[in-house]
Amino acid sequence: MYKTFSFLLIVCLFLTACNKQPQPFSSFEDAQSALKTLNAALIRSKTVENEILTEQQLVFSEAYLAKRHAIYQGLMDMDLESNQIAQVNYLVIAERFPERYFNWPAQINVLKNMLALNGKVYKPDSIIKWLKLTQDQLDSAVQSNLKLNKVELSLLQLHVDKTLQNNTIQGALKSQLRSFRDYLDTYKARGSIGLRGLANGSEWYQSKLNYFSGSVHSPLEWSSILNKKINTLKVTKPILVSDVPAEHERSFTVRSLQGDKIIEGLDWQTHYIDLPSMAANTETSADIYSLMLVMMETDIGIHYHAWTLPQARVNLVKRLNISTEFAHYLAEDIILFPGQSFSFASKAL
C-alpha cells in the first residue's frame, strides 16, 4: 500500500513538472525588450540591431499577433508594480479592438523601417507579402464598417510616395508599391475623423480614457469637468513653440515629457514610456497645463462629439491663442493618438 502511494506521488510530481510551463521572461525589462524587437518596424530601437526582417516583425500579421499575445500573457503571469499591471491590462484589452485591421499605423513610415531592417541581405519578398496583407486587411475591414479616416489615408499616401522616390527600390517591390498606391487613390475614407466613427470605436475610446486618465468617467462627464477648468483659464499671450514638428512619429504628449526621468513602459505608441505615471510626476508650467486641458477638450470633441478637423483647429486657436499651423499639428496629433493627452488628467481633477 505504502509503495503504491509513493509511486503515485512520484508520478503526480513528474506530470506536474512536465505540465508547468517555464516563465518566458525573468523581468519586466526582458518583456519590454522582446516587444521592442517585435515592434522594430514600428519604432526603431537602439537596442535592436539590424537584422533580416522576420515573419513576426511583419506588423499585425498572424505571426506578429501570436507573438505579441504570448508576450502579454507572460507579463500577466509576472509579479508587477501597480502601474505596470495597468499598462498590461490596457494592452490586453486593446487586443479586442479593431486596430489589427489597420496593419499600417499612419503616423509611422513602416516601409522605411522595414527596408532598414532588411539588413545587408536585401530580400523584398517579406515586404511585398506585408503590403498585400495590408491591402487585404483594409478590404476586410470595410466589410466590418471599419475604414481609415482622411488624415490617416493622406499620411499613408505620403509614406508610399516617399518610398517610391527611393531609387534603390526596383523590380517586384516597386511594382507592388505602385499597385498599393493606386489602391489608396481609390480608397474611400470614412467621414468621421474620430474613433466613434468606427465599429466598437466608442468602447475602444473609453478604454483609452480610463487608462491614460487613471479614472473612470464617460466622455460627457469629462466634457463637464474640463469645461469648468478651462473657463477659469486666462491665456493672455500666445503659447509659442520654437518649431512645429513636421511628423507625428512621436506624439506631442510624449515630446512634452522628453526631459523628465523615464518611467519604462510597454506601448510602442508611447515610445515605451509610462505616460500616465510620468505626467503625474511632472511639474507643469501654466502654459503646458492650459495646453493639455484644451487638448483633452479637443480630444473629446474629435473622438466623441465627431468634430471635424477645422472645428478642432478653431477650438485650439480660440482657446490657446496659437498659430493655425500649430493648431493643425495638434489636431492631427490628437486624431492619431486618441486619449494620450489625458495622461495629464490627474492635474485637472
Side-chain angles (χ1 to χ4, degrees):
M1 178 74 177
Y2 175 76
K3 289 182 178 180
T4 302
F5 176 77
S6 298
F7 174 75
L8 290 174
L9 180 61
I10 292 170
V11 171
C12 287
L13 290 172
F14 175 76
L15 291 174
T16 301
C18 290
N19 289 331
K20 188 176 181 180
Q21 296 299 316
Q23 184 84 350
F25 307 109
S26 59
S27 67
F28 179 88
E29 290 72 22
D30 285 347
Q32 183 198 56
S33 179
L35 283 170
K36 285 182 177 181
T37 299
L38 181 67
N39 291 324
L42 292 168
I43 299 295
R44 298 299 308 281
S45 173
K46 293 179 181 178
T47 61
V48 179
E49 298 293 330
N50 261 26
E51 56 185 296
I52 300 300
L53 187 67
T54 68
E55 183 77 15
Q56 291 177 339
Q57 289 171 323
L58 298 181
V59 183
F60 295 116
S61 65
E62 289 299 322
Y64 170 93
L65 292 172
K67 178 64 175 179
R68 189 183 68 174
H69 181 73
I71 295 173
Y72 290 169
Q73 292 303 306
L75 280 158
M76 292 181 74
D77 291 336
M78 293 171 63
D79 185 17
L80 303 174
E81 301 292 332
S82 58
N83 66 307
Q84 295 171 339
I85 292 171
Q87 290 182 68
V88 175
N89 288 339
Y90 165 68
L91 292 171
V92 169
I93 289 171
E95 289 185 287
R96 307 173 194 169
F97 293 110
E99 182 184 52
R100 64 187 178 277
Y101 282 102
F102 304 115
N103 287 35
W104 191 338
Q107 65 268 33
I108 305 296
N109 192 339
V110 178
L111 273 177
K112 180 180 178 181
N113 290 341
M114 282 187 172
L115 288 167
L117 279 169
N118 255 290
K120 295 179 180 179
V121 182
Y122 181 64
K123 293 184 178 181
D125 292 356
S126 57
I127 300 178
I128 292 171
K129 178 181 178 180
W130 179 77
L131 283 169
K132 290 178 178 178
L133 174 65
T134 300
Q135 184 170 326
D136 288 343
Q137 286 291 82
L138 286 173
D139 280 338
S140 297
V142 171
Q143 307 305 315
S144 301
N145 194 28
L146 300 168
K147 294 182 180 180
L148 297 168
N149 63 44
K150 294 177 182 178
V151 172
E152 293 165 333
L153 178 60
S154 178
L155 286 172
L156 290 187
Q157 290 170 325
L158 181 63
H159 294 323
V160 175
D161 287 342
K162 284 183 177 179
T163 308
L164 282 170
Q165 291 168 12
N166 184 342
N167 292 329
T168 64
I169 306 298
Q170 297 295 332
L173 178 55
K174 191 162 192 174
S175 176
Q176 187 61 46
L177 277 169
R178 285 173 173 164
S179 176
F180 187 62
R181 184 61 171 86
D182 291 342
Y183 170 79
L184 293 177
D185 283 341
T186 62
Y187 186 92
K188 302 298 181 184
R190 71 179 191 267
S192 170
I193 55 175
L195 281 190
R196 199 174 183 183
L198 294 173
N200 296 324
S202 295
E203 293 81 2
W204 194 11
Y205 185 50
Q206 185 68 62
S207 75
K208 290 178 179 291
L209 292 181
N210 295 348
Y211 169 66
F212 286 112
S213 72
S215 57
V216 180
H217 292 289
S218 71
L220 286 177
E221 288 171 336
W222 274 118
S223 291
S224 177
I225 293 168
L226 293 168
N227 190 53
K228 290 176 183 177
K229 293 286 184 180
I230 291 171
N231 285 338
T232 66
L233 294 179
K234 293 181 180 179
V235 181
T236 57
K237 58 180 181 179
I239 296 176
L240 302 175
V241 291
S242 55
D243 291 297
V244 176
E247 43 74 30
H248 295 279
E249 182 173 312
R250 193 182 299 267
S251 72
F252 181 79
T253 308
V254 170
R255 290 174 189 273
S256 68
L257 293 170
Q258 276 184 321
D260 293 74
K261 181 181 178 182
I262 297 298
I263 299 176
E264 298 293 340
L266 298 166
D267 189 358
W268 68 267
Q269 295 195 61
T270 65
H271 277 251
Y272 303 106
I273 65 173
D274 181 348
L275 274 185
S277 295
M278 286 187 64
N281 294 324
T282 299
E283 292 295 327
T284 54
S285 66
D287 280 356
I288 291 296
Y289 175 72
S290 301
L291 194 152
M292 287 300 173
L293 279 175
V294 178
M295 281 188 69
M296 285 185 258
E297 177 191 45
T298 308
D299 203 304
I300 295 289
I302 289 173
H303 294 292
Y304 182 76
H305 293 300
W307 286 2
T308 63
L309 184 58
Q311 282 177 308
R313 193 166 52 226
V314 166
N315 186 65
L316 289 161
V317 171
K318 177 184 175 182
R319 295 287 204 187
L320 297 170
N321 195 17
I322 59 177
S323 69
T324 302
E325 180 189 13
F326 187 28
H328 183 82
Y329 164 78
L330 289 178
E332 282 195 343
D333 209 66
I334 292 166
I335 293 166
L336 295 167
F337 298 97
Q340 277 199 15
S341 58
F342 277 81
S343 298
F344 285 86
S346 60
K347 306 284 186 179
L349 294 176

